Amino acid sequence: MTLTIGLTGGIASGKSTVSAMMRELGLPVIDADEAARAVVRPGEDAYRQIIAAFGPGILQTNGEIDRAKLGAIVFNDEEERKKLKRHRSPGGASENARGERSARPFRGENGRIGHSAFI
């Protein structure tokens, strides 16, 4: 049996604090925010797709996606948000799957915490 706990909440609600406490106890934490950032790093497929969809104007000088610029686009236009989700979701799902496979036994059972701003 695998125990999966979803940890969610709004901004500054303590998700990161609780996740850190769970890590200290030895429970693997799958952080959806970390997974989402990993799949949009320069060189990743989702990175190339997002740049093709939104243009180089969303890049920082170091080549990374400027999350504030991209956020200003997608959080003000539902169609733009859907476009971003189409490019990001497959990579995020595979990154989360890698985290799930690495879950190790915790107090006799496999367990993990899923940390996300939303579920």
Side-chain angles (χ1 to χ4, degrees), residues 39-73:
V39 299
V40 298
R41 288 189 183 116
E44 298 291 333
D45 288 339
Y47 172 87
R48 288 188 289 275
Q49 292 171 7
I50 290 169
I51 302 311
F54 294 96
I58 62 164
L59 294 177
Q60 299 177 49
T61 57
N62 66 1
E64 292 180 0
I65 293 175
D66 185 321
R67 295 168 64 85
K69 284 182 183 176
L70 183 56
I73 296 168

Side-chain angles (χ1 to χ4, degrees), residues 4-85:
T4 301
I5 299 170
L7 175 61
T8 186
I11 295 171
S13 62
K15 298 180 303 290
S16 296
T17 300
V18 172
S19 290
M21 294 165 70
M22 295 297 105
R23 282 186 177 110
E24 287 178 15
L25 292 172
L27 185 63
V29 175
I30 303 161
D31 189 324
D33 293 336
E34 289 175 14
R37 283 189 294 275
V39 299
V40 298
R41 288 189 183 116
E44 298 291 333
D45 288 339
Y47 172 87
R48 288 188 289 275
Q49 292 171 7
I50 290 169
I51 302 311
F54 294 96
I58 62 164
L59 294 177
Q60 299 177 49
T61 57
N62 66 1
E64 292 180 0
I65 293 175
D66 185 321
R67 295 168 64 85
K69 284 182 183 176
L70 183 56
I73 296 168
V74 302
F75 292 126
N76 290 309
D77 185 324
E78 182 64 24
E79 290 306 312
E80 295 295 305
R81 184 171 29 252
K82 288 178 184 177
K83 182 168 52 172
L84 174 62
K85 188 172 182 173

